[in-house]
Amino acid sequence: MSWVKEGELSFWERFCANIIKAGPMPKHIAFIMDGNRRYAKKCQVERQEGHSQGFNKLAETLRWCLNLGILEVTVYAFSIENFKRSKSEVDGLMDLAREKFSRLMEEQCFLNVCFAYTSRHEISNAVREMAWGVEQGLLDPSDVSESLLDKCLYTNHSPHPDILIRTSGEVRLSDFLLWQTSHSCLVFQPVLWPEYTFWNLCEAILQFQMNHSMLQQKARDMYAEERKRQQLERDQAAVTEQLLQEGLPASGDPQLRRTRLHKLSARREERVQGFLQALELKRADWLAHLGTAST
């Protein structure tokens, strides 16, 4: 029996889901699954049991998302900072994560897991990767941009989250997906993660729907257009410099300028694609080495 797909929605849950799906739906939701330890304390059970119930709630939440047509979920499973906890708790979490995520990997799941992760480390690593590309001659310094940094993040194959949900009542992002959630709907809910319900998820989606037109697509579209405008200005400045260096008038033949702009853009795109392919190979080699070292 599938862990994620076990059980069905109740009549009222299906009824509510059909109503919600009539509005704009998120394609990607991120969760900060907070409150496992407080749940354990509240229920007077061991911390490990609180974490185990948290993993079970994740499987249940994935089932709800599946029923709602949400295509992708990202969870903050373990921060780099969490390694500062007691050795017994960290070791127990590692064993539990190995067991539960191995079970999830057996299914066709749509889950991204951020483990031993912080957003600041992710962003600084993306900057180092671009610097490596320039050092290797794969990129020109002028190729470095916000758009390229976005493609160097660990999440580069996923759309940015439409909603970020944090449970337990904490109102902070705790260094999670800081770059990717700049235009996301942020929802902070007081419920502890193991007690999360289908109705809590519906509440978060309703908040997203109420703010969709203003907070989401419009802001993202405007930001994308601004990035395109800035890139065009940089390209035009580069073409002007080329023409002046060749002794040609900067504001001369418009057709010549358009041709130069097109060639400049095409060469940059070729360099960027070559760099991204090299980066994929570099990361694949690192993961293969990591897998070999851990066996």
Side-chain angles (χ1 to χ4, degrees):
M1 180 73 73
S2 168
W3 189 31
V4 170
K5 296 180 183 177
E6 286 175 4
E8 296 292 337
L9 296 180
S10 69
F11 170 79
W12 288 112
E13 287 172 340
R14 289 198 306 272
F15 180 75
C16 182
N18 288 332
I19 293 174
I20 286 178
K21 286 193 284 187
M25 288 295 292
K27 296 179 177 64
H28 183 185
I29 296 183
F31 290 94
I32 300 177
M33 307 180 294
D34 196 13
N36 291 344
R37 297 201 293 176
R38 273 169 281 178
Y39 171 82
K41 184 177 181 180
K42 174 183 173 181
C43 297
Q44 297 183 329
V45 297
E46 295 293 328
R47 285 181 177 177
Q48 191 73 356
E49 177 62 21
H51 292 307
S52 181
Q53 291 300 318
F55 276 107
N56 291 337
K57 182 57 63 176
L58 171 59
E60 190 175 13
T61 303
L62 290 173
R63 175 168 59 85
W64 299 333
C65 290
L66 194 64
N67 277 278
L68 288 165
I70 296 163
L71 304 178
E72 194 160 354
V73 173
T74 297
V75 295
Y76 202 3
F78 203 77
S79 164
I80 291 174
E81 299 298 316
N82 290 151
F83 283 105
K84 296 177 181 178
R85 295 179 181 179
S86 68
K87 184 178 185 302
S88 61
E89 184 178 0
V90 171
D91 289 346
L93 266 171
M94 294 298 109
D95 292 339
L96 189 62
R98 190 177 297 110
E99 173 197 343
K100 300 294 187 180
F101 286 128
S102 294
R103 192 172 176 186
L104 280 173
M105 286 172 66
E106 294 171 0
E107 310 187 27
Q108 290 185 347
C109 205
F110 44 97
L111 177 66
N112 306 312
V113 180
C114 295
F115 209 87
Y117 167 92
T118 68
S119 189
R120 285 175 296 176
H121 180 270
E122 178 186 26
I123 294 169
S124 61
N125 182 71
V127 172
R128 285 194 297 270
E129 299 288 25
M130 291 188 294
W132 170 80
V134 172
E135 290 170 1
Q136 296 296 311
L138 299 170
L139 295 172
D140 286 348
S142 60
D143 297 331
V144 175
S145 65
E146 286 186 42
S147 177
L148 181 58
L149 190 150
D150 195 56
K151 294 173 183 175
C152 292
L153 297 174
Y154 304 139
T155 57
N156 65 89
H157 295 299
S158 297
H160 289 182
D162 299 296
I163 310 175
L164 184 146
I165 298 170
R166 179 167 190 157
T167 57
S168 86
E170 296 289 343
V171 187
R172 51 196 171 89
L173 297 182
S174 295
D175 212 353
F176 180 54
L177 300 181
L178 300 180
W179 180 280
Q180 297 88 335
T181 57
S182 59
H183 296 105
S184 301
C185 178
L186 306 181
V187 180
F188 301 99
Q189 297 176 302
V191 61
L192 300 177
W193 175 248
E195 297 175 327
Y196 203 70
T197 69
F198 176 78
W199 306 110
N200 294 129
L201 179 59
C202 289
E203 176 196 12
I205 294 172
L206 285 172
Q207 287 194 40
F208 163 78
Q209 290 179 338
M210 287 188 294
N211 294 283
H212 179 261
S213 60
M214 176 181 67
L215 180 66
Q216 293 276 303
Q217 199 57 50
K218 184 178 179 181
R220 286 181 176 177
D221 289 346
M222 288 176 62
Y223 185 62
E225 287 300 318
E226 177 61 18
R227 290 206 302 196
K228 287 180 183 178
R229 186 190 64 78
Q230 290 176 354
Q231 184 62 63
L232 179 59
E233 287 182 352
R234 288 195 295 269
D235 287 351
Q236 288 175 334
V239 167
T240 296
E241 185 177 350
Q242 286 179 4
L243 293 173
L244 291 174
Q245 287 176 350
E246 294 171 14
L248 298 172
S251 57
D253 183 359
Q255 180 60 42
L256 177 61
R257 286 190 65 87
R258 284 194 293 269
T259 300
R260 292 290 182 92
L261 276 170
H262 176 74
K263 287 183 177 179
L264 184 71
S265 177
R267 285 197 295 267
R268 181 179 62 251
E269 184 61 23
E270 183 178 350
R271 287 193 301 272
V272 166
Q273 290 306 314
F275 161 70
L276 293 174
Q277 290 173 10
L279 182 58
E280 286 287 330
L281 291 173
K282 179 173 178 254
R283 288 177 172 176
D285 288 344
W286 180 83
L287 287 171
H289 176 74
L290 184 66
T292 303
S294 62
T295 56

